[in-house]
Amino acid sequence: MELILKYFPDLTEDQIQKFKQLESLYQDWNLKINVVSRKDIDELFLRHVLHSLGIAKVMSFKAGSKILDVGTGGGFPGIPLAILFPECSFHLVDSIAKKLKVVDEVVEGLGITNVKTTHSRVEAIDDTFDFIVSRAVAAMPTFVHWVKGKIAKKQNHELKNGILYLKGGDLSDELKDYRTTTIYNLSDYFSEDFYETKKVVHLPLKYRG
């Protein structure tokens, strides 16, 4: 928890309590349904919670924003972002039902009301969003194909509507066809070694009506 407060010192008391609860909820549920590896559970804040919040260092979502989390797995980055931005709505999607069961239980345990989950492939989601977030579920060309037509028309942020993708390693080949991407190195925001090669990739996408 100190790790979160180190980089997000302005959290409310309610947000601090929810982040604290997060750890025990995941530890409890992970014993029943394994969604996070043992090592990662022991370093939940470093490897999952703070990593998810890396998106918040790049983009501060405005109240009323709609965000889609694709392939959310155990609820990352969606749940930490939903705690940080309680006035935004988050739609968490995954094709694996047992993972979403954990997400649903964690959301209920935290008492957060700005998260909705759907057990589905993302292509079946019929809605538009300001931003689509994810943690490296596919190469960018595949991911762009999945989320085609899901970007809202109205722009409310300085960064254009589109994808905010948590990725690692050398992305030059994967992103060579996307001239409008901006890469933010998380090592510029977080000093821990874990973040040396971690990045947030912003790819603006056009609304397709």
Side-chain angles (χ1 to χ4, degrees), residues 36 40 43-52 76 80 135:
V36 179
D40 282 6
E43 297 189 324
L44 188 74
F45 282 110
L46 175 71
R47 291 168 170 265
H48 293 281
V49 181
L50 189 62
H51 190 208
S52 298
F76 302 102
R135 286 210 304 180

Side-chain angles (χ1 to χ4, degrees), residues 111-123:
I112 51 180
T113 56
N114 60 332
V115 170
K116 158 184 179 178
T117 62
T118 303
H119 171 223
S120 155
R121 291 181 62 80
V122 66
E123 296 95 322

Side-chain angles (χ1 to χ4, degrees), residues 25-42:
L25 282 167
Y26 274 109
Q27 283 174 338
D28 185 36
W29 272 99
N30 213 55
L31 293 172
K32 302 170 194 169
I33 302 172
N34 189 24
V35 290
V36 179
S37 76
R38 184 63 195 267
K39 183 178 182 187
D40 282 6
I41 271 288
D42 292 341

